[in-house]
């Protein structure tokens, strides 16, 4: 019997992303910088002619104290006054919109912030010009807000444009330039491009230490961001002192109970978790759990500690206390369902655990589809741990189910005939597909000629439908009241296009196989492997705690073996 060996090695990297504690998402309301708004908002904007001079100062003080709701109420009053005095399209109004959006970012109300930034950007581009520093500030904030909700394809061009303007107009060493560098580094980090994120964050730190000083809270922001990048790369010894320094600065400058200080505390908790200092991590997460908006992040961190120490019932209790809302960030939903799957698996509830893992993976796949450019490193991104851990957890669970003859849950029928075959599919979903995509980027020239004309027409029509649907996203998801029906219609149209794409792909695989393989790389199902009689496929996947070998015969019969590696 001839054996075909396909090697899929996963290089394990330390834990990833930060619960919901991304550097670059908050707001401080501290010392005002008049030169150009940094990505944290920098407090109330400079007064416009006709402002009540005390109102911006009050807003600034409330923001510095972390009292965002009170600041929000006054910022709305300020905006209304400016609209009445200057008109709805005045630059002063754009400043009020930006301020209100910054407060929403501090409160983690990202969709509301996007609406405000979009309106501010329209005003500033028209009134000030596309290359004005204030236009760049709004571009940066809008890009940051899109990053926070996982819309990386929307965020990237905005942030890059902001950086280009600031470098050209303000200079390469300006604080505003450092703000755009921070946001771009954070975006790269969230998509797993750590090699690109690191030099951006390091450059931002040099600028901030020189222009603002080593003890400034914004310098602390960049220290926290660098700590997370190192943590995701597994360099815990480099990450820990940066996180400790960031927390110390914010505690001194903002106070120990300020939301931004709490976020730095949670970043430290993630690094302590990665170092297996579970007792210290638990204390850090407990501090975050009791801090308002950070409560959800703190509970997610506590759940991770409970899982790491075998306290599965406690983990499940913590997760069930704050289930993700329908509009929750996809990064958080992926983390939540992965953790829930681990807790259920630890309690022996394998069917429920499999369903939870699948919800996590569906969310991760949506995020991956919205990641522009090279995506080979995407699975190294994630919150607390890398997204690849969700796939490995599900593979391990299916490996438990296979020898027991346990049936697959109904939601898994599309991925394989039995637990072993489904596990093979999800193993293919990680490194094999990423490798294919990397190869495809270099080998697509000329392959379009192989597509039959009728299929080429279908493909162009389908691509146009996808673009039309994507253009509706903001109108459907940004409003906050009374639009549930629009969301349902959007989801139904999305599912219909996915079915059309699946049908087109099957036809392309039959009639233009090379084109389909390179333009539409998809995980193989065991039964679809082109194995001849007398051949078997051996494929293995390596994890940090356990590894698996798959043996696939013609027709899709699959066996899975746990390796002592």
């Amino acid at each position: 019997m001839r054996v075909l060996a396909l090697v899929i090695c996963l290089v394990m990297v330390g834990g990833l992303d930060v619960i919901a504690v991304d550097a670059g998402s908050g707001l401080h309301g501290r010392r005002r910088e008049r030169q150009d708004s940094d990505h944290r908002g920098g407090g109330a904007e400079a007064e416009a002619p006709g402002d009540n001079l005390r109102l911006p100062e009050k807003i600034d003080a409330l923001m510095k104290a972390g009292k965002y709701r009170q600041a929000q109420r006054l910022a709305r009053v300020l905006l209304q006054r400016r609209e009445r005095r200057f008109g709805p399209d005045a630059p002063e109004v754009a400043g009020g919109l930006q301020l209100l959006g910054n407060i929403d970012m501090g409160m983690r109300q990202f969709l509301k912030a996007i609406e405000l930034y979009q309106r501010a950007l329209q005003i500033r581009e028209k009134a000030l010009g596309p290359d004005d520093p204030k236009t760049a500030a709004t571009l940066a904030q809008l890009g940051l807000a899109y990053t926070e909700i996982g819309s990386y394809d929307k965020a990237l061009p905005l942030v890059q444009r902001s950086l280009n303007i600031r470098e050209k107009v303000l200079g390469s060493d300006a604080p505003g330039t450092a703000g755009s560098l921070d946001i771009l580094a954070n975006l790269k980090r969230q998509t797993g491009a750590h090699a690109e994120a690191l030099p951006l964050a390091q450059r931002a730190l040099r600028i901030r230490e020189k222009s603002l000083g080593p003890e400034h809270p914004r310098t602390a922001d960049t220290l926290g961001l660098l700590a997370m990048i190192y943590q995701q790369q597994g360099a815990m010894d480099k990450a820990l002192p940066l996180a400790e320094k960031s927390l110390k600065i914010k505690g001194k400058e903002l106070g120990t109970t300020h939301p931004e200080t709490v976020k730095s505390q949670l970043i430290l908790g993630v690094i302590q978790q990665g170092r297996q200092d579970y007792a210290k991590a638990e204390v850090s997460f407990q501090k975050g759990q009791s801090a308002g908006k950070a409560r959800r992040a703190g509970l997610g961190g506590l759940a991770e500690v409970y899982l790491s120490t075998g306290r599965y019932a406690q983990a499940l209790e913590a997760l069930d206390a704050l289930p993700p809302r329908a509009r929750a960030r996809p990064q958080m939903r992926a983390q939540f369902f992965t953790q829930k799957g681990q807790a259920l698996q630890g309690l022996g509830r394998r069917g429920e655990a499999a369903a939870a893992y699948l919800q996590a993976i569906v969310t991760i796949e949506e995020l991956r589809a919205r990641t522009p450019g090279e995506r080979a490193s995407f699975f190294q991104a994630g919150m607390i741990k890398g997204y690849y851990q969700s796939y490995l957890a599900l593979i391990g669970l299916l490996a438990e189910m296979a020898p027991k003859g346990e049936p697959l849950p109904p939601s898994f029928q599309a991925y394989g005939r039995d637990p072993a075959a489904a596990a093979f599919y999800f193993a293919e979903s990680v490194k094999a597909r990423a490798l294919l995509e990397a190869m495809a980027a270099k080998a697509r020239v000329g392959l379009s000629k192989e597509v039959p004309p009728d299929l080429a027409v279908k493909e162009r029509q389908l691509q146009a439908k996808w673009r039309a649907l994507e253009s509706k996203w903001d109108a459907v998801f940004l409003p906050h009241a009374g639009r549930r029906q629009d969301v349902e219609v959007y989801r139904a149209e999305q599912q219909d296009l996915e079915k059309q794409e699946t049908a087109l792909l099957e036809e392309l695989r039959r009639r233009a196989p090379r084109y389909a393989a390179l333009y539409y790389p998809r995980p193989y199902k065991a039964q679809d492997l082109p194995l001849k009689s007398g051949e078997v496929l051996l494929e293995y996947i390596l994890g940090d705690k356990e590894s698996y070998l798959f043996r696939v015969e013609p027709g899709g019969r699959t066996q899975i073996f746990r390796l002592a590696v």
Side-chain angles (χ1 to χ4, degrees), residues 6-82:
L6 177 60
V7 179
I8 310 238
C9 299
L10 278 174
V11 179
M12 298 297 101
V13 186
L16 303 169
D17 212 347
V18 174
I19 317 179
V21 200
D22 296 321
S25 64
L27 173 95
H28 300 314
R30 61 182 75 97
R31 295 182 281 262
R32 230 174 278 163
E33 291 173 35
R34 308 254 182 195
Q35 179 187 25
D36 178 43
S37 299
D38 200 348
H39 74 280
R40 291 285 186 158
E45 290 211 352
E47 296 85 354
D51 277 347
N52 178 332
L53 294 181
R54 295 187 61 189
L55 193 54
E57 293 174 1
K58 288 180 180 179
I59 296 170
D60 191 70
L62 289 169
M63 291 160 63
K64 186 172 184 179
K67 298 178 179 179
Y68 294 145
R69 290 201 178 278
Q70 295 177 46
Q72 186 183 57
R73 286 195 291 270
L74 292 183
R76 286 171 178 164
V77 172
L78 182 66
L79 177 60
Q80 290 169 356
R81 291 179 180 177
R82 289 185 178 183

Side-chain angles (χ1 to χ4, degrees), residues 476-493:
V476 171
F477 288 97
L478 293 188
H480 285 256
R483 302 300 295 272
R484 182 180 297 275
Q485 185 176 358
D486 290 345
V487 173
E488 292 173 353
V489 170
Y490 184 96
R491 294 298 190 196
E493 187 175 349

Side-chain angles (χ1 to χ4, degrees), residues 23-24 39 159 163 172 175 177-190 193-210 218-233 242:
H39 74 280
V159 180
L163 178 60
S172 58
T177 301
S180 290
L181 287 167
D182 243 18
I183 297 172
L184 184 57
N186 186 42
L187 192 160
K188 295 291 186 180
R189 179 188 67 80
Q190 286 203 33
H194 303 138
E196 297 177 50
L198 184 59
L200 293 168
Q202 289 171 330
R203 183 183 162 198
L205 181 62
R206 288 194 296 269
I207 295 171
R208 286 184 159 165
E209 286 182 329
K210 181 179 179 181
R218 289 184 189 165
T219 304
D221 290 341
T222 309
L223 287 168
L225 174 60
L226 270 170
M228 289 188 288
I229 294 170
Y230 281 127
Q231 182 262 345
Q232 290 177 333
Q233 292 180 322
L242 295 173

Side-chain angles (χ1 to χ4, degrees), residues 94-106:
L97 291 164
Q98 177 101 359
L99 172 60
L100 195 53
N102 291 344
I103 295 172
D104 281 335
M105 289 293 287

Side-chain angles (χ1 to χ4, degrees), residues 13-22 189 228 231-233 236 266-267 269-275 278 281 285 296-305 307-308 319 331-332 334-336 338-339 342 380-389:
V13 186
L16 303 169
D17 212 347
V18 174
I19 317 179
V21 200
D22 296 321
R189 179 188 67 80
M228 289 188 288
Q231 182 262 345
Q232 290 177 333
Q233 292 180 322
M236 301 299 175
L266 292 170
I267 291 172
V270 171
I271 294 166
Q272 291 166 336
Q273 163 76 22
R275 290 169 56 89
Y278 298 127
F285 292 136
R296 188 177 299 274
L299 278 179
L302 281 173
E304 193 66 29
V305 172
L307 291 169
S308 298
L319 293 166
Q331 303 97 311
M332 181 167 284
Q335 173 190 288
F336 173 87
T338 298
Q339 291 179 328
Q342 291 173 318
Q380 307 299 330
M383 299 179 76
I384 300 184
K385 292 182 178 178
Y387 291 134
Y388 64 83
Q389 292 284 3

Side-chain angles (χ1 to χ4, degrees), residues 313-386:
Q314 281 182 271
L316 189 59
E317 182 180 356
L319 293 166
D320 287 344
L322 277 177
R325 296 180 294 270
R327 294 179 184 269
R329 301 165 66 212
Q331 303 97 311
M332 181 167 284
R333 289 179 62 84
Q335 173 190 288
F336 173 87
F337 286 113
T338 298
Q339 291 179 328
K340 187 168 185 178
Q342 291 173 318
L344 291 166
Q345 183 178 358
L347 295 171
R349 295 157 62 178
R350 285 187 286 271
E352 295 174 78
Y357 286 139
L358 185 57
Q359 282 185 278
I361 287 172
V362 168
T363 304
I364 293 167
E365 291 292 333
E366 290 177 358
L367 272 173
R368 192 169 186 270
R370 289 150 62 182
T371 298
E374 175 60 56
R375 299 184 296 186
S377 301
F378 173 81
F379 295 110
Q380 307 299 330
M383 299 179 76
I384 300 184
K385 292 182 178 178

